[in-house]
Amino acid sequence: MVLSSIQALRFVATLLVLLFHLALLPSGFKGVDLFFVISGFVLYYTYHSRPSVPQKQRRRYFVHRLTKIYLLYWTALIALYPVQPYPFDRNFLANILLLPGHNPLLDISWSLSCELYFYALLGITLFYIPPRWHKGLFITAFVVTAGIKLFNTFIFSLHGTPVYFLAGPNLWEFLCGILAGYIFCRSATTPAATGSPAPNRATTYGPIALLLLILFWALPILRSAPYYHFVYGPVATALVITTALAEKATPWKGTLKKIVIRLGNASYAIYLFGPVLVRIIKPHIHELPWKIAAIAILITFSLLINHFYEEKLLRIVRRSFGT
């Protein structure tokens, strides 16, 4: 089941990144941290109750994760070329494959390399490691990644090294998302099963307070601070948990739910084509009317491309793989 609140957060995270690239919100880069936490949450929420998965489901997992990342990303790379031509060299190949450490043609593609890594780790854990080891592996990975972040912060910078990519703060934020999913899935049952209890103030107003915090706190200062991830990771995790729990207490319904789900589905297109649009309007990048128009055009375009292109392409390709 799709959680409307998480779809809403996906759209918010995308919008934050877009506003950052348009120089409208200096702290908008924090949207990527929220993305990583959401990824961990969604994957745990989707697969936590499937300790034993047949081979077909294993194939389905990897095919769906790879096609979701690559197909629309390659489309965005093609769209970028007329706007900013790039050489077909080794770096282009690294961008096509999203190899770790590539020099991004699309500004955000480094985060997709991280996502692929997260998907691979989780897939291997889910389908090839006995469930009795999962909790121990998670605790070990959580402690190790936090330790590496502390080492990177206070002792010696590991940024740009394989260690930073493989077990650094980005993976720690993904694990924070898994922790959020664990807490959510083991929280109280849904209202339908308990007689629709009234939501408490924490689950109702917590998401609003945290969203205001993540939007308006003086976080641009923290971007260069060594403890950056230790601020954004917990804030994003708390935001995901409280938002999801608020929906569990009071499920979203009707037109609002449909709109939010559609915006969430289009968020990946917004994320990918945002850098392309920024390059298109670069001569007018400091003019506010152009920025506002760009946001409206990009959201509309992304809704259309998701509905008429991305979803259909994914179905065709996945069907060809038998998933």
Side-chain angles (χ1 to χ4, degrees):
M1 181 183 72
V2 176
L3 289 174
S4 305
S5 56
I6 300 303
Q7 291 289 75
L9 286 182
R10 276 178 169 162
F11 177 70
V12 168
T14 301
L15 195 59
L16 290 173
V17 175
L18 177 61
L19 293 176
F20 171 71
H21 287 298
L22 288 171
L24 287 172
L25 185 64
S27 58
F29 61 91
K30 72 178 73 69
V32 177
D33 300 86
L34 183 53
F35 269 131
F36 290 159
V37 174
I38 289 173
S39 292
F41 176 91
V42 169
L43 289 176
Y44 183 88
Y45 174 69
T46 303
Y47 293 99
H48 81 283
S49 61
R50 306 180 190 182
S52 179
V53 182
Q55 184 63 37
K56 185 176 180 180
Q57 291 302 312
R58 298 176 189 179
R59 183 171 69 251
R60 177 186 174 87
Y61 172 86
F62 288 107
V63 169
H64 279 228
R65 300 277 72 78
L66 291 173
T67 53
K68 178 61 179 176
I69 289 288
Y70 278 118
L71 293 181
L72 196 62
Y73 167 67
W74 288 338
T75 303
L77 274 184
I78 293 171
L80 175 67
Y81 186 80
V83 179
Q84 183 176 306
Y86 43 77
F88 298 98
D89 53 12
R90 287 186 178 181
N91 186 57
F92 170 73
L93 181 60
N95 273 265
I96 286 289
L97 298 176
L98 289 171
L99 298 180
H102 67 274
N103 183 25
L105 297 174
L106 281 175
D107 298 339
I108 46 77
S109 63
W110 68 270
S111 65
L112 304 184
S113 298
C114 294
E115 287 285 333
L116 287 173
Y117 174 56
F118 302 156
Y119 295 162
L121 283 182
L122 188 65
I124 292 169
T125 302
L126 281 174
F127 305 131
Y128 299 101
I129 297 178
R132 65 180 181 275
W133 294 357
H134 289 178
K135 187 175 292 187
L137 283 174
F138 172 82
I139 293 172
T140 300
F142 195 89
V143 171
V144 168
T145 53
I148 287 175
K149 176 55 187 170
L150 286 169
F151 183 90
N152 180 77
T153 301
F154 299 109
I155 300 176
F156 180 77
S157 176
L158 298 170
H159 192 77
T161 66
V163 172
Y164 191 88
F165 177 83
L166 294 172
N170 295 328
L171 178 59
W172 181 71
E173 288 182 334
F174 178 74
L175 295 174
C176 285
I178 291 179
L179 179 62
Y182 178 86
I183 293 171
F184 174 79
C185 291
R186 280 155 180 76
S187 65
T189 54
T190 60
T194 59
S196 299
N200 59 49
R201 291 186 178 183
T203 57
T204 301
Y205 301 111
I208 298 174
L210 285 166
L211 183 57
L212 291 174
L213 176 65
I214 205 171
L215 281 172
F216 298 112
W217 189 21
L219 291 177
I221 299 173
L222 292 177
R223 189 185 182 199
S224 58
Y227 47 82
Y228 158 79
H229 289 93
F230 286 130
V231 174
Y232 286 105
V235 169
T237 303
L239 179 60
V240 168
I241 293 173
T242 54
T243 303
L245 288 176
E247 182 178 357
K248 180 176 277 192
T250 309
W252 297 28
K253 299 178 180 178
T255 303
L256 175 62
K257 179 176 181 177
K258 294 178 181 178
I259 292 174
V260 166
I261 289 176
R262 181 54 62 185
L263 288 172
N265 290 340
S267 62
Y268 188 45
I270 298 171
Y271 190 61
L272 289 176
F273 288 95
V276 179
L277 186 61
V278 168
R279 286 171 171 81
I280 292 174
I281 70 166
K282 190 173 182 180
H284 307 279
I285 195 65
H286 298 296
E287 301 175 30
L288 183 60
W290 277 86
K291 296 180 181 181
I292 295 173
I295 294 170
I297 291 170
L298 180 60
I299 292 174
T300 303
F301 168 79
S302 298
L303 287 167
L304 292 173
I305 201 171
N306 169 256
H307 184 68
F308 292 106
Y309 174 77
E310 182 185 10
E311 291 181 353
K312 289 179 171 55
L313 181 62
L314 286 172
R315 281 197 296 269
I316 292 170
V317 174
R318 289 168 179 175
R319 194 180 299 122
S320 70
F321 282 96
T323 63

